[in-house]
Amino acid sequence: MSTLVATNKKSFGATLWDYLTTVDHKKIAIMYLIAGGFFFLVGGLEALAIRWQLVQPMNDFVSAGFYNELITMHGTTMIFLAAMPLIFAFMNAVVPLQIGARDVAFPFLNSLGFWLFLFGGIMLNVGWFTGGAADAGWTAYAPLSTTSPGEGVDYYVLGLQISGAGTLMGGINFLVTIVNMRAPGMTYMRMPLFTWTAFVASALILFAFPALTVGLFLMMFDRLFGSGFFEANMGGNAVIWQHLFWIFGHPEVYILALPAFGVFSEIISTFSKKRLFGYTAMVFATVLIGFLGFMVWAHHMFTVGMGPAANSIFAVATMAIAVPTGIKIFNWLFTLWGGSIEINTPMLWALGFIPTFTLGGMTGVMVAAASADYQFHDTYFVVAHFHYVIVGGVVFALLAGLHYWWPKMFGTILDDKLGKITFWFFFIGFHLTFFIQHFLGLMGMPRRYWTYLENQGLDLGNLVSTIGAFLMGVGTIFLLINIVKTTMKNEKVGGDPWDARTLEWAIPSPPPFYNFKQLPLVRGLDPLWVEKTEGRKGMTPAEPIGDIHMPNNSFLPFVISVGLFIAGFGFIYQKNDLSWLTLVFIGMGIALGAMLTRSVKDDIGYHIHKEDLQKEAEES
Amino acid sequence: MSEQDVLNPKHMPHNPEKATLEGKNKFIGFWFFLGGESVLFASLFGTYLALNDSTNGGKGSEELFGLELVFIMTMLLLTSSLTSVYAMYHMKNNDFKKMMVWLGITVALGLGFLCFELYEFNHYIHEYEFTMRSSAFGSAFYTLVGFHGGHVVFGLLWFISLMVRNAKRGLNLYNAPKFYIASLYWHFIDVVWVFIFTVVYLMGVL
């Protein structure tokens, strides 16, 4: 394994095996992108079905029960199976390159994290085919969730448990990568903002996901093994679920939003041809938002009856988040100020994001006023608020990042004209869909209801909202066309198509599997720009060409994930028939056996030899 | 560092657990992991504290718990943490044999703890019919203490497989971090038990 992998075309089987066993963070990024993109389309179709049901009063496009499944799966899919993995796609593709690392700290865990996410996501959706998906809302509040009949909620519980474990591994991996594997000279205060936000988001994952793990375990014990955590008859308390869920769920918002801020910071700085205004303040604001994100979970529970003292504390803590977020908004504006701005697709998304997200933030402060929240709670006002934040912040960032980093990931560039068409359809459609929902909510339209009466003042608003949703769908179709067209044309671009500033653009697109032939010497913020202003084309190396240590591929992560997937079915169906426990033993046996194999087999990787690197350099 | 230097180092550095990049990554990564585990147990403790009086008319903690048994269990586990410190001390002095001896003692003490815990659960179930399904208190008790017990089982299996695996190869820069983080994990289990001892048993009886 010491020679460089040949670049000629491989058979389909070989390629498939390559992806099933890969531990290369760039290939894992592509898999996250494909899987997350697929679930994004699934969640989008669910959203369109919801909007079609609400297009007119007393509609009967779907049944009430099916509608519950649609809203539950739309929320769950979009948060856990689309937004998170797509964020992970960019973190995998970009973070090691931005800090000048050859790899992530734990390549094996990285691959395991992906497969756990994928099999957890599949498990969540299996419910659709076995008599009904989860239908208790994406928040799965007890006792609604503990009493929901069938297996839908069981699939929710076990699917999220499996994919959550994968996410936790990803978080730890990025934390260690960023702490330990930065290139010489890459101090913390020289790290690009996307890496900073990935760092803080990973810390949030680390401290937020275990709370979800516990919540899901308690739910699983209640549903499958007869315990009584949320069962009032046994002395249980359903509010515990809400606390655990939101101790996870609120930081989750920032796990998504912070990397989104990072994406925009990169894009705005690159296409304004300026270093980011107030870099230090941006870092400080990122850390502060991350910290405050943990202090505010109970603002989701103002109407539970925690009392005025608790409500006030959480209200004030919540409003405090507006301060660092405001710092960020102004820093982006000041970065634009006086820059030589180039407006292309990624930049359009960034420019669209600023006012959209600001609106979402403002309604956030409104909802954070505990007394007023009694009016907003569980209405479309809240629906509008969080879609402004999650779509206007996170999805815009994902689409911006997709256009921005596509050349780095695939070596081709997405068509700018089609990208702009995508933007305008999506952007206008988005505001049509959700702006009007603020007013629908203020007029009393409740969230999660599958239909409404006519002549209540809700007809026109809902019609407009549905039209907007379909415009977003059209925008997505243009994005798909763009991707297919670009891939078919396969026009290669160089390493630095945007004339960008950070390290990932200093190497070819797509990068070689060892990333950096020689580790770069970082001499300031925006290291590539530093070199360019001094008249050099690439980075100054920090080391002579030498052997590069690489990890071995492994099939075990896939096997472990399959094992847990199988065991999941055993856990679910043993509640009907104990003989299903056999599946638990088989599945756990496979998973634990694979883990044992992993730990008793020495796997110290291999080296790419200096001579091969030099030969390759001469040939190219 | 080449494969040979990692598997057969010419001389062992003083901190073999973090002499290589992989070792350093494992070292820091595991500390992060323990941070996450703290949240896991904090959530379980919170749940327990919310439900420890919800006995649903059944037996409560005063009637169930006996401090004598818990005292023995605590002593066994605390001592096992100390013996794993001795093991790591010998690892740093590159004395593989003594490290294995002390790890063996650690495992024996852990197994002792586990036997007492099994006896305790069995006692509650058969003597008092106190199970996970009796009340919310029962659910919370068995989940919190059971999660800890599960961690003990995993830790023991971890130590044993490491010891069996490396019995003939001795210490090198590849397995030193593995021994080290297993002992970190063991200390963490111990710290969690101190909290269980206080929050569950002492506060439950006094």
Side-chain angles (χ1 to χ4, degrees):
Chain A
M1 282 293 283
S2 61
T3 49
L4 292 174
V5 176
T7 46
N8 47 16
K9 264 211 160 6
K10 283 185 285 186
S11 73
F12 175 74
T15 312
L16 184 69
W17 180 250
D18 189 30
Y19 273 87
L20 287 178
T21 59
T22 190
V23 293
D24 180 352
H25 66 94
K26 298 175 290 297
K27 282 183 182 156
I28 290 170
I30 291 171
M31 294 197 290
Y32 267 118
L33 193 68
I34 294 170
F38 170 76
F39 284 120
F40 181 74
L41 296 180
V42 172
L45 289 173
E46 284 157 359
L48 288 181
I50 292 168
R51 279 321 313 172
W52 191 246
Q53 163 63 20
L54 296 174
V55 68
Q56 59 180 27
M58 301 301 287
N59 200 3
D60 59 357
F61 173 62
V62 293
S63 70
F66 188 58
Y67 184 82
N68 286 346
E69 293 170 31
L70 281 175
I71 55 162
T72 303
M73 290 304 287
H74 167 67
T76 312
T77 304
M78 282 306 199
I79 297 281
F80 292 100
L81 310 181
M84 289 279 303
L86 289 171
I87 295 267
F88 266 42
F90 293 133
M91 279 160 67
N92 265 304
V94 176
V95 167
L97 303 182
Q98 281 197 332
I99 61 172
R102 293 227 168 85
D103 210 332
V104 291
F106 307 111
F108 180 90
L109 271 191
N110 204 13
S111 151
L112 180 58
F114 169 77
W115 292 111
L116 286 173
F117 141 69
L118 185 63
F119 279 100
I122 293 170
M123 179 136 239
L124 260 165
N125 280 284
V126 166
W128 286 118
F129 308 103
T130 58
D135 59 354
W138 86 278
T139 54
Y141 277 0
L144 187 61
S145 51
T146 44
T147 53
S148 165
E151 286 85 37
V153 177
D154 301 326
Y155 282 112
Y156 169 95
V157 168
L158 282 150
L160 283 191
Q161 193 71 284
I162 294 172
S163 73
T167 309
L168 186 63
M169 287 171 196
I172 293 178
N173 205 345
F174 285 114
L175 281 172
V176 179
T177 306
I178 294 170
V179 170
N180 262 358
M181 297 176 74
R182 284 166 289 128
M186 177 62 81
T187 59
Y188 281 104
M189 292 315 278
R190 284 178 183 172
M191 286 192 327
L193 216 74
F194 180 69
T195 298
W196 253 114
T197 54
F199 187 54
V200 176
S202 300
L204 295 187
I205 288 173
L206 177 63
F207 293 114
F209 267 76
L212 178 71
T213 306
V214 169
L216 291 172
F217 266 119
L218 305 188
M219 177 82 68
M220 173 181 166
F221 292 164
D222 267 19
R223 279 190 65 94
L224 301 176
F225 301 111
S227 67
F229 289 102
F230 311 127
E231 175 63 54
N233 284 334
M234 289 166 70
N237 183 347
V239 178
I240 291 174
W241 167 263
Q242 293 197 24
H243 278 294
L244 288 175
F245 186 84
W246 288 117
I247 286 172
F248 146 76
H250 196 80
E252 168 73 10
V253 174
Y254 296 101
I255 294 169
L256 298 173
L258 287 176
F261 296 164
V263 172
F264 288 126
S265 301
E266 302 290 319
I267 289 173
I268 289 174
S269 152
T270 300
F271 297 118
S272 302
K273 289 278 170 292
K274 278 172 71 184
R275 66 170 275 181
L276 194 67
F277 185 92
Y279 170 84
T280 316
M282 287 297 240
V283 171
F284 178 72
T286 304
V287 176
L288 192 60
I289 292 173
F291 177 74
L292 287 174
F294 276 100
M295 304 292 139
V296 298
W297 79 89
H299 69 210
H300 296 265
M301 303 162 64
F302 282 149
T303 62
V304 161
M306 298 181 300
N311 278 6
S312 308
I313 291 167
F314 282 101
V316 172
T318 304
M319 291 179 195
I321 294 187
V323 177
T325 314
I327 291 174
K328 284 184 167 258
I329 298 276
F330 280 105
N331 279 334
W332 288 316
L333 292 176
F334 287 134
T335 308
L336 290 163
W337 191 308
S340 57
I341 296 171
E342 180 189 350
I343 295 185
N344 50 23
T345 311
M347 192 61 169
L348 261 185
W349 285 110
L351 295 175
F353 152 81
I354 295 176
T356 310
F357 192 83
T358 307
L359 267 171
M362 279 157 57
T363 53
V365 177
M366 288 171 75
V367 178
S371 47
D373 184 63
Y374 279 78
Q375 184 66 26
F376 305 133
H377 188 75
D378 264 351
T379 70
Y380 264 72
F381 189 86
V382 177
V383 176
H385 158 69
F386 68 65
H387 279 92
Y388 261 79
V389 177
I390 302 281
V391 182
V394 181
V395 176
F396 281 20
L398 293 171
L399 292 166
L402 186 76
H403 288 83
Y404 181 62
W405 280 310
W406 188 274
K408 189 45 64 186
M409 291 177 76
F410 298 99
T412 57
I413 198 158
L414 286 170
D415 187 274
D416 197 48
K417 208 181 218 164
L418 281 171
K420 282 178 175 158
I421 296 173
T422 305
F423 170 79
W424 285 113
F425 269 107
F426 203 95
F427 186 74
I428 294 171
F430 166 78
H431 282 283
L432 271 184
T433 311
F434 293 107
F435 191 71
I436 206 153
Q437 289 185 2
H438 293 109
F439 300 98
L440 287 171
L442 290 175
M443 286 189 291
M445 180 166 160
R447 183 182 174 186
R448 298 191 171 118
Y449 281 29
W450 75 297
T451 193
Y452 52 95
L453 293 172
E454 46 194 324
N455 298 324
Q456 307 279 311
L458 306 175
D459 307 10
L460 182 66
N462 272 297
L463 177 66
V464 172
S465 187
T466 300
I467 293 171
F470 278 85
L471 289 183
M472 289 162 83
V474 174
T476 311
I477 290 172
F478 275 104
L479 174 68
L480 294 177
I481 294 173
N482 197 352
I483 289 173
V484 172
K485 190 185 154 198
T486 307
T487 313
M488 300 281 276
K489 251 171 62 185
N490 200 20
E491 267 174 33
K492 295 293 175 197
V493 289
D496 184 19
W498 306 118
D499 190 17
R501 314 172 69 83
T502 42
L503 268 181
E504 76 266 34
W505 305 103
I507 49 175
S509 309
F513 65 106
Y514 48 80
N515 294 355
F516 295 89
K517 192 170 289 167
Q518 294 161 281
L519 290 182
L521 180 66
V522 176
R523 298 188 299 149
L525 183 66
D526 295 343
L528 181 60
W529 194 257
V530 171
E531 303 287 334
K532 282 187 204 169
T533 50
E534 290 178 10
R536 273 180 290 273
K537 282 219 174 83
M539 295 301 298
T540 310
E543 56 172 18
I545 291 185
D547 292 358
I548 297 177
H549 180 240
M550 296 299 293
N552 288 327
N553 282 3
S554 175
F555 189 47
L556 291 174
F558 186 85
V559 177
I560 294 174
S561 309
V562 169
L564 291 177
F565 185 69
I566 293 171
F569 286 96
F571 279 119
I572 291 173
Y573 286 99
Q574 58 79 33
K575 76 174 173 182
N576 304 329
D577 180 356
L578 277 181
S579 61
W580 282 87
L581 278 176
T582 337
L583 269 195
V584 173
F585 290 115
I586 295 174
M588 293 308 280
I590 294 174
L592 291 172
M595 281 159 75
L596 189 70
T597 314
R598 164 71 184 171
S599 40
V600 299
K601 244 182 79 182
D602 281 355
D603 179 10
I604 51 172
Y606 64 98
H607 281 86
I608 308 168
H609 293 298
K610 192 163 98 179
E611 299 73 33
D612 295 319
L613 284 169
Q614 275 158 343
K615 204 160 68 191
E616 190 199 38
E618 281 156 24
E619 279 166 11
S620 63
Chain B
M1 209 173 288
S2 78
E3 290 90 340
Q4 273 314 307
D5 293 336
V6 173
L7 290 182
N8 298 306
K10 284 174 205 89
H11 64 95
M12 286 292 272
H14 186 60
N15 286 317
E17 75 277 6
K18 41 187 177 182
T20 61
L21 178 64
E22 284 72 19
K24 267 185 227 146
N25 287 345
K26 282 199 173 98
F27 180 80
I28 292 180
F30 202 76
W31 273 106
F32 281 129
F33 171 75
L34 290 182
E37 287 270 279
S38 308
V39 177
L40 184 113
F41 277 102
S43 304
L44 288 169
F45 275 108
T47 307
Y48 179 81
L49 284 173
L51 297 174
N52 65 349
D53 289 328
S54 306
T55 53
N56 197 26
K59 290 251 186 283
S61 45
E62 297 91 344
E63 297 153 279
L64 289 168
F65 302 154
L67 281 187
E68 299 83 357
L69 184 82
V70 182
F71 176 75
I72 301 172
M73 287 165 73
T74 307
M75 281 303 123
L76 285 173
L77 206 60
L78 285 184
T79 315
S80 79
S81 216
L82 180 69
T83 54
S84 79
V85 170
Y86 283 138
M88 288 309 108
Y89 170 79
H90 291 299
M91 182 187 89
K92 295 202 177 196
N93 287 338
N94 198 17
D95 190 338
F96 181 71
K97 226 173 172 179
K98 278 192 183 144
M99 180 190 85
M100 291 289 267
V101 170
W102 283 107
L103 281 182
I105 298 173
T106 307
V107 168
L109 290 168
L111 275 173
F113 170 88
L114 206 60
C115 291
F116 277 103
E117 184 149 84
L118 287 174
Y119 165 79
E120 185 199 5
F121 284 5
N122 190 50
H123 181 70
Y124 294 157
I125 291 168
H126 290 105
E127 204 75 7
Y128 301 107
E129 289 182 350
F130 173 69
T131 70
M132 196 165 168
R133 300 177 188 198
S134 322
S135 61
F137 165 59
S139 310
F141 170 79
Y142 283 109
T143 305
L144 171 58
V145 182
F147 255 81
H148 176 266
H151 275 71
V152 173
V153 174
F154 189 83
L156 290 174
L157 291 176
W158 190 353
F159 271 139
I160 292 169
S161 49
L162 270 180
M163 289 167 72
V164 172
R165 165 67 182 153
N166 293 299
K168 293 235 173 76
R169 2 188 118 203
L171 214 50
N172 58 40
L173 296 180
Y174 182 69
N175 61 26
K178 295 186 171 207
F179 280 110
Y180 189 84
I181 60 171
S183 84
L184 265 188
Y185 178 81
W186 196 252
H187 291 310
F188 177 77
I189 292 173
D190 216 45
V191 172
V192 173
W193 178 258
V194 172
F195 280 90
I196 289 181
F197 174 72
T198 315
V199 172
V200 176
Y201 292 102
L202 274 185
M203 281 169 58
V205 174
L206 301 177

